[in-house]
Amino acid sequence: MALAGGGPLGAIYEIGALCALQDSLEGVDFNDLSGYVGVSAGGFIAAGLANGMTPKQLCSAFIENDSASEDLIRPGLFIRPAWGEYARRMAAFPGLFVQASLRFLFKRRALLSAFEILGRALPTGVFSHAPLEAQVRRVLSAPGRSNDFRKLKRKLVLVATDLDSGEAAPFGQPGWDHVPISVAAAASAALPGLFPPVAIDGRWYVDGALKKTLHASVLLDMGLDLLFCLNPLVPFDASHSQRHRVLSSGDPSIPQLVVGGLPVVLSQTFRSLIHSRLELGMKGYEGSHPHTDIELFEPDHRDPEMFLANTFGYAQRRALAEHAYQRTRADLRSRRSTLALTLARHGIRLNNDVLDDPHRTLVGRKRHLRTRAARALKRLDEVLNDLDKALAERA
């Protein structure tokens, strides 16, 4: 199992998708795979799975905030101010100001150089990773779990990026497995600008997604026969949003992304960059590991709800997890012909009764399409997508 990052939104999507896969696939236990690799938010989910937490347990703890359950990742833990980082940078400001002033006074043309010196007083991150690391450490210290890579029954790798060299740091691999899982997870999720780099053994580490989106080769080199990949972040296709709205019970339509202003444009840019690397990586995996079946699950590019999601409210988390659960089931139906053949080679079977059950939900009431015509169109869309993939596979 390879899990990409995506912040709180990514974690919610991956939990909903994993629950749909666990319900719909017979013959596979997502807590008993050969190995797990996680990047950024996907690292927290991978750590939970490798420690025996089922997708439903992750959902109960993270999505539902079950008071009787261990809370693996609370979105609020992502937005605690980095007071320590602020204090360190402020303490260094007087000395840096003197250096910058002297540089400007004695080298009149060194204004930009003086500003560069003052730039060292800016915090390297807005939010602290310490509360998140402490929470994960507490959860993984519960009976039957471990915060030590070396004590796990299943292989777990959490990938960060060495800030000074730009190289991938595969925590959990030999030579990297002495680091606590919670610290490695925090380093893997330390997105520059949002979180300060994490210090480990005298080196500084940031988000593993800076190097690659999935880092699936860590597992593929084990000689696997089947790899499941989950990627939460995809660029939005606004040109088809109107058609998708008809098929998805009134989701908000986005005719043109430029209307959303800078935040929407930046989100689309970031998602496009991340996804283009993923596409190149997947093509590379097909060439380098031709004997491994790789199945990728990700949101529909036409889905505005995943693109505009607000993940920090309790109701929004529940709705988004349910959304991810239902859309993953729809994805399975849309390619059940080709997927069934691939999975059958590994002793896994699609449970069509679960897939076709219109009343099955994850955390609450399912939103139903308003008219019989809309329901028929949605079903037709899934069947045609399935047929299209089957014909392409035969060709």
Side-chain angles (χ1 to χ4, degrees), residues 134-218:
Q135 179 74 347
V136 175
R137 179 176 6 107
R138 183 182 70 81
V139 171
L140 298 186
S141 299
R145 301 172 190 162
S146 177
N147 197 31
D148 190 330
F149 286 103
R150 298 164 294 187
K151 295 181 180 180
L152 293 177
K153 297 178 181 178
R154 305 158 189 88
K155 184 178 185 63
L156 171 66
V157 179
L158 305 180
V159 185
T161 302
D162 188 311
L163 181 62
D164 292 313
S165 68
E167 296 298 319
F171 294 107
Q173 292 281 62
W176 299 86
D177 53 2
H178 64 286
V179 177
I181 294 173
S182 58
V183 175
S188 180
L191 182 64
L194 288 182
F195 297 94
V198 178
I200 301 175
D201 296 339
R203 307 286 293 184
W204 296 93
Y205 297 93
V206 293
D207 198 318
L210 269 64
K211 190 71 177 179
K212 292 181 181 178
T213 303
L214 272 177
H215 290 276
S217 57
V218 170

Side-chain angles (χ1 to χ4, degrees), residues 54-393:
T54 67
K56 291 294 177 67
Q57 286 176 323
L58 291 172
C59 180
S60 176
F62 180 28
I63 307 299
E64 303 234 54
N65 259 347
D66 187 348
S67 60
S69 173
E70 299 287 358
D71 210 357
L72 181 61
I73 311 172
R74 292 194 303 267
L77 294 175
F78 285 87
I79 53 174
R80 303 284 179 85
W83 299 119
E85 175 71 4
Y86 300 162
R88 285 189 294 271
R89 298 291 167 170
M90 289 179 65
F93 180 76
L96 293 173
F97 180 77
V98 171
Q99 291 182 41
S101 299
L102 292 174
R103 177 70 59 87
F104 179 68
L105 289 174
F106 292 101
K107 294 183 179 181
R108 291 289 182 178
R109 298 180 180 179
L111 181 60
L112 290 179
S113 178
F115 276 115
E116 288 176 0
I117 293 174
L118 289 176
R120 301 174 193 172
L122 294 175
T124 56
V126 178
F127 305 116
S128 173
H129 51 70
L132 189 61
E133 187 277 328
Q135 179 74 347
V136 175
R137 179 176 6 107
R138 183 182 70 81
V139 171
L140 298 186
S141 299
R145 301 172 190 162
S146 177
N147 197 31
D148 190 330
F149 286 103
R150 298 164 294 187
K151 295 181 180 180
L152 293 177
K153 297 178 181 178
R154 305 158 189 88
K155 184 178 185 63
L156 171 66
V157 179
L158 305 180
V159 185
T161 302
D162 188 311
L163 181 62
D164 292 313
S165 68
E167 296 298 319
F171 294 107
Q173 292 281 62
W176 299 86
D177 53 2
H178 64 286
V179 177
I181 294 173
S182 58
V183 175
S188 180
L191 182 64
L194 288 182
F195 297 94
V198 178
I200 301 175
D201 296 339
R203 307 286 293 184
W204 296 93
Y205 297 93
V206 293
D207 198 318
L210 269 64
K211 190 71 177 179
K212 292 181 181 178
T213 303
L214 272 177
H215 290 276
S217 57
V218 170
L219 298 180
L220 290 169
D221 291 341
M222 296 169 56
L224 303 178
D225 56 353
L226 176 63
L227 177 69
F228 292 98
C229 302
L230 266 66
N231 171 53
L233 296 183
V234 298
F236 179 63
D237 183 1
S239 61
H240 291 89
S241 63
Q242 228 12 70
R243 171 176 174 267
H244 191 260
R245 186 184 184 189
V246 175
L247 301 175
S248 53
S249 78
D251 287 335
S253 61
I254 309 176
Q256 291 182 318
L257 294 183
V258 71
V259 176
L262 181 61
V264 170
V265 172
L266 290 179
S267 176
Q268 179 77 337
T269 302
F270 177 73
R271 288 164 177 262
S272 298
L273 289 172
I274 290 291
H275 201 264
S276 65
R277 292 192 316 174
L278 174 65
E279 292 175 332
L280 289 174
M282 296 298 287
K283 290 180 181 178
Y285 297 148
E286 292 174 4
S288 61
H289 300 81
H291 302 297
T292 303
D293 288 322
I294 304 175
E295 293 298 337
L296 173 66
F297 298 92
E298 57 185 12
D300 192 320
H301 291 244
R302 306 164 299 173
D303 186 353
E305 187 160 333
M306 284 299 299
F307 185 71
L308 298 174
N310 173 11
T311 63
F312 290 95
Y314 174 64
Q316 288 83 358
R317 276 194 284 164
R318 287 176 56 90
L320 187 58
E322 183 67 42
H323 185 75
Y325 179 81
Q326 298 299 344
R327 292 300 164 83
T328 302
R329 293 177 66 232
D331 182 27
L332 291 170
R333 290 193 297 266
S334 293
R335 50 174 166 150
R336 81 168 87 202
S337 298
T338 55
L339 189 60
L341 292 174
T342 300
L343 296 178
R345 293 198 291 267
H346 309 282
I348 303 173
R349 188 178 73 87
L350 285 172
N351 187 329
N352 290 314
D353 290 338
V354 170
L355 280 180
D356 295 325
D357 182 359
H359 304 294
R360 182 173 289 268
T361 63
L362 177 61
V363 294
R365 189 192 309 182
K366 175 184 175 183
R367 290 188 308 168
H368 292 284
L369 297 175
R370 297 174 181 174
T371 66
R372 182 176 299 178
R375 292 192 291 271
L377 282 173
K378 186 174 186 297
R379 179 64 181 140
L380 178 61
D381 187 61
E382 293 172 354
V383 172
L384 290 176
N385 284 338
D386 186 24
L387 178 61
D388 183 60
K389 292 179 175 65
L391 291 175
E393 186 74 15

